[in-house]
Amino acid sequence: MLVVKKFGGTSVANKERIYNVANRCIEDYKKGNDVVVVLSAMGKYTDELIDKAKDINPNPPKREMDMLYTIGEQMSVALMAMAMNHLGVPAVSLNAFQVSMHTTSVYGNARLKRIDSERIRNELEQRKIVIVTGFQGVDKFDNYTTLGRGGSDTTAVALAAALNADSCEIFTDVDGVFTADPRKVPAAKKLDVISYDEMLELATLGAGVLHNRSVELAKKYGVHLVVRSSLNTAEGTIVKEVGSMEKMLVSGVAADKDTTRISLIGLKDEPGVAFRLFNHLARHNINVDMILQSVGRDSTKDITFTTTEDNAQEAVEIVERHFHEYEKIDVEKDVVKVSIVGAGMQSNPGVAAKMFECLYDEGINIKMISTSEIRVSVLIGEKYAEKAMNAIHEKFSLGDN
Ligand code: ADP
Ligand code: ASP
Ligand code: MG
C-alpha cells in the first residue's frame, strides 16, 4: 500500500510532537507500506513569519512573502527526517522544488498544475520514508509560490492523486470533521462520513479543518480521504461520495469572519451598472462573494457585495478610482457569514425558514442572504457569530440523526 499522511502545524509544534508523528509514520512503514508524509510549518510559525515581514514592510511584495513562507515547511520536513533517521529509519525530506510541484504564478494563492512523481517514487523504491513540504509550489519561472493559508491539505491530496495512493490521511488537532467547529460550538459532534460536496461547501464557508481545494481535488480524482487526530488513534471522518439514502438534511454549520460588506448607494437604475462595477473588480482580481441589488426606487438603486477583508480595501480603492456612478459608499467590517450545509436540503423545503426563525428567536438581524442547492448563508453582525452557530446547531439537532 502507498499512503500519504499529512500533519498540520499543531501536530509538529515541538520535539515531542515531531517524535510522535515520526513514530506513527514508522509504524505504517514497518507494516511494509510506502509512506509519503506532508508537513505544515511548526505551530504558529507561518503567522510569526507574517509578523516578521510586516515589521519590515507593512505591505510586503507577494513574491517575497511566498519566498519567506517556504522556510516554515522546509524546517518541519528537515527536522522530521532527522527524527526518523535518529529512530533508525531511512527518510528523506524534499521541498517543492526538489519534487517539482508546478503551480500557477499567483503568489499567495497559486494552483497546483502538475506534480512530478519520479523523484518520490525513486526514494520510495529505496525504502525511504519521503517527507514533503506542504503549502508550497514552484511556478514556470522557478519562483516559489504558496497555495493559500491551510494549503498543505491540498498538497497532500494532490500528491495522493499523483502517486495513485491507497489513502490520504489528514492528521490534525481534532478527531475529525464535526457538525461545527468544536472550539466554538461545544455540542458539536464528530461525523463518521461526509460527502465531498458537503465538505467542499463547509470548507469554503469557513470550516478550516480542510483547505477547500483539497476537497475539490479529492472529489475529482476519487482520493480516499480521512480526517483524524494526530494525538489519538480514534477513527476519523471519511470524506467520500455518499449515496442518496445517507444524505442528511443539514450536516454542519460554519462561520467565516473574513468578510467585509461594501454597499454602493444611489446608483442609476439602468442597464449596465452592475456590469461596469463588477467588471472593474474582476479586472483587478477581486473575488466577490455575496451580491445583493435592491429594487429600483425613484430611478436609483443600491448594490451591496461582500469580499474578504484582505480584498476589501483594494475593492474600495478601485471603486473610488474607476467607478463614479454612486452617491455614497458604505463599508462594514464587523460582519460574519454563517452557513448551514446539507445535501438533503435539495429535496426538503423549509430549511431556510427554520434557520431564519432561529435567528429571529435570538434577536439577530440578517443583513444579506444567499443560497445554493445545498447551502443557506446569512450575513450577520460579527459579535453574534458564536451565538448564532450554537443556536442553529441546537435548532437542527445536528449530529443527532
Ligand atoms: P492543521 O494545523 O492540522 O491543519 P487547522 O487549524 O488548519 O489544523 O484545522 C483544524 C481546526 O479546524 C480545528 O482545531 C478546529 O478548531 C477547526 N474547525 C473548524 N470547523 C471545524 C469542523 N467543522 N470540524 C472540525 N474542526 C473544525
Ligand atoms: N503553514 C501554512 C499555514 O499556516 C499551510 C498549512 O498549515 O496548511 O497556512
Ligand atoms: Mg489546516
Side-chain angles (χ1 to χ4, degrees), residues 6 8 40 150-151 153 172 208-211:
K6 179 258 168 180
S40 293
D153 301 328
T172 185
V209 64
L210 281 179
H211 191 233

Side-chain angles (χ1 to χ4, degrees), residues 159-373:
L159 267 176
L163 295 165
N164 209 359
D166 295 280
S167 78
C168 180
E169 292 170 294
I170 307 289
F171 290 87
T172 185
D173 55 4
V174 287
D175 285 357
V177 179
F178 283 65
T179 48
D181 185 340
R183 296 185 204 285
K184 308 228 169 80
V185 179
K189 299 214 171 62
K190 197 200 86 185
L191 297 163
D192 294 331
V193 176
I194 186 166
S195 68
Y196 289 126
D197 289 339
E198 288 167 301
M199 191 63 238
L200 179 57
E201 289 276 9
L202 281 174
T204 306
L205 297 166
V209 64
L210 281 179
H211 191 233
N212 64 351
R213 283 280 293 151
S214 73
V215 187
E216 223 168 75
L217 287 179
K219 180 179 160 86
K220 185 167 172 192
Y221 295 102
V223 173
H224 184 264
L225 186 61
V226 183
V227 181
R228 56 192 301 192
S229 170
S230 66
L231 304 169
N232 62 49
T233 54
E235 305 242 336
T237 303
I238 300 174
V239 188
K240 62 169 196 172
E241 215 63 79
V242 171
S244 56
M245 289 298 288
E246 294 171 89
K247 277 183 186 159
M248 275 179 290
L249 189 59
V250 177
S251 52
V253 49
D256 186 358
K257 290 187 178 170
D258 182 14
T259 183
T260 297
R261 176 185 65 78
I262 300 173
S263 297
L264 299 179
I265 296 152
L267 300 159
K268 278 214 181 87
D269 189 20
E270 62 180 29
V273 175
F275 160 65
R276 287 191 291 277
L277 168 61
F278 292 111
N279 194 37
H280 284 304
L281 295 171
R283 275 199 328 206
H284 290 84
N285 278 325
I286 302 287
N287 248 324
V288 169
D289 181 20
M290 298 168 120
I291 298 178
L292 181 76
Q293 179 179 294
S294 69
V295 285
R297 228 180 303 109
D298 306 328
S299 68
T300 69
K301 63 185 173 190
D302 309 333
I303 291 181
T304 298
F305 61 92
T306 64
T307 185
T308 58
E309 282 171 10
D310 226 21
N311 276 331
Q313 198 181 336
E314 210 183 330
V316 171
E317 281 167 18
I318 291 163
V319 167
E320 285 175 345
R321 212 174 324 127
H322 300 287
F323 183 78
H324 310 285
E325 305 183 36
Y326 59 93
E327 281 166 19
K328 214 177 96 193
I329 185 163
D330 180 52
V331 179
E332 190 180 15
K333 290 193 180 129
D334 296 334
V335 288
V336 58
K337 184 170 70 166
V338 175
S339 311
I340 53 173
V341 171
M345 270 181 215
Q346 272 172 346
S347 45
N348 280 281
V351 174
K354 191 166 165 181
M355 180 180 183
F356 304 154
E357 182 190 18
C358 174
L359 294 168
Y360 166 65
D361 288 343
E362 298 295 320
I364 298 171
N365 185 38
I366 300 171
K367 295 167 188 277
M368 290 174 87
I369 299 170
S370 78
T371 62
S372 81
E373 281 185 330

Side-chain angles (χ1 to χ4, degrees), residues 18 45 55 91 95 128 151 165 230 256 272 297 334 387:
I18 288 179
Y45 197 69
D55 186 37
N95 68 10
K128 287 184 199 160
S230 66
D256 186 358
R297 228 180 303 109
D334 296 334
K387 189 177 176 190

Side-chain angles (χ1 to χ4, degrees), residues 103-139:
T103 71
T104 58
S105 294
V106 185
Y107 300 118
N109 197 20
R111 286 192 161 222
L112 280 166
K113 291 201 300 193
R114 184 169 52 85
I115 296 178
D116 297 342
S117 54
E118 202 183 316
R119 174 77 191 265
I120 295 179
R121 287 195 191 281
N122 283 343
E123 302 285 0
L124 290 173
E125 261 165 40
Q126 295 168 46
R127 279 303 284 153
K128 287 184 199 160
I129 296 182
V130 181
I131 310 159
V132 181
T133 48
F135 182 44
Q136 56 182 252
V138 183
D139 75 0

